[in-house]
Amino acid sequence: MLCPPVVLRWAAKGDKVKLLDNYGRVIKDLRISVTPRCNLHCLYCHPLGLEMREPPGTLTVEEVDRFLEAASLLGLSSVRFTGGEPLVRKELPEMIARARAKEGVEDVAITTNGLLFARRAKELVEAGLNRVNISLDALTPEVFARITRGGKVERVLEAIEKALELGLHPVKLNAVVIRGMNEEEVVPLAGLSLDRPLHVRFIEYMHLDNSDPEAYRRRFVPGKETRARIEAVYGPLEPVPHDPTSPARVFKIPGAQGTVGFINPVTEPFCTHCSRLRLTSDKKLRPCLLTDLEMDIAWAFAAPEPVEALVDAILIATNRKPAFGNTLPTLRKRVMLGIGG
């Protein structure tokens, strides 16, 4: 297959490949959704309460392995397994092990709601897991249960303790801030970073749930308001050096062990530094979270030489990565649950 022109450059030092898109962005981070299933029903992820089941053609361990082989050949060095809830896939440890075995893959992580983590953490670490992002939208049990439609915050707190106990680093906690639900929770959540090396990140609510646009606007909380709430209690936050391709702007409460970060894709878009490609569990490659652009690459997995075909698919998707995503309230073809976090 002939690919559109995509630039492959060699790094100045060593022999690592850098994959660049048409805007000069280095593409190095993969998000692989291994299932659309989830054991929670968070309002901002699928507000209509849709039950997502494993669709026919869901990624297998072998297909994940081939995709990772192709990606590693192109210099992609960071892999995060997502869902849905990735821990509902019993094969997740094997997928992690396959990722760790790929030359050039330096970082393997998961994003999880934490409910199953304490039970499975040891096998994940033994497979090669480096770090974990755990969703924690509130500390107050009633608020947490309301946002997640029945979740138990105690199990998430147990997951955090287990991650620290096993030495995973960094342990990041993700909170989506929604007006009228959990904006009063941001100060106690930020306080988790004080005496332990926890990295709490507050995320602006994105319209990836097909909720009513006016309801979305009423619920939206800009990141600067969240930061102001925290600084009103703890004083000015101190900036912390961070990877410029990271979506979070990172600070710390003076004297804290951990950090506080703000991911503001709506009010402070970071598209110009985006380094990500997303693979959905049904074999669609998405170069941008905030557009409906996606490529069905099932043909590449079924090709006689799948790794070569997947290299082509990644090159084509990289070439099609748009300059900017759409943060306005828009009817999406997929909600967040189907895309992968």
Side-chain angles (χ1 to χ4, degrees), residues 199 201 238-243 246 248-252 259-262:
H199 303 269
R201 309 191 314 168
E238 300 174 348
V240 174
H242 61 275
D243 180 351
S246 169
R249 296 298 166 258
V250 185
F251 303 84
K252 67 184 301 183
T259 64
V260 174
F262 302 92

Side-chain angles (χ1 to χ4, degrees), residues 105-128:
V105 173
E106 302 167 349
D107 179 53
V108 180
I110 62 171
T111 295
T112 175
N113 61 34
L115 296 191
L116 300 174
F117 182 78
R119 189 171 74 197
R120 302 195 63 188
K122 185 177 179 182
E123 62 176 324
L124 298 174
V125 172
E126 289 174 348

Side-chain angles (χ1 to χ4, degrees), residues 250-272:
V250 185
F251 303 84
K252 67 184 301 183
I253 297 169
Q257 288 190 37
T259 64
V260 174
F262 302 92
I263 300 176
N264 301 333
V266 179
T267 62
E268 299 177 81
F270 37 81
C271 299
T272 54

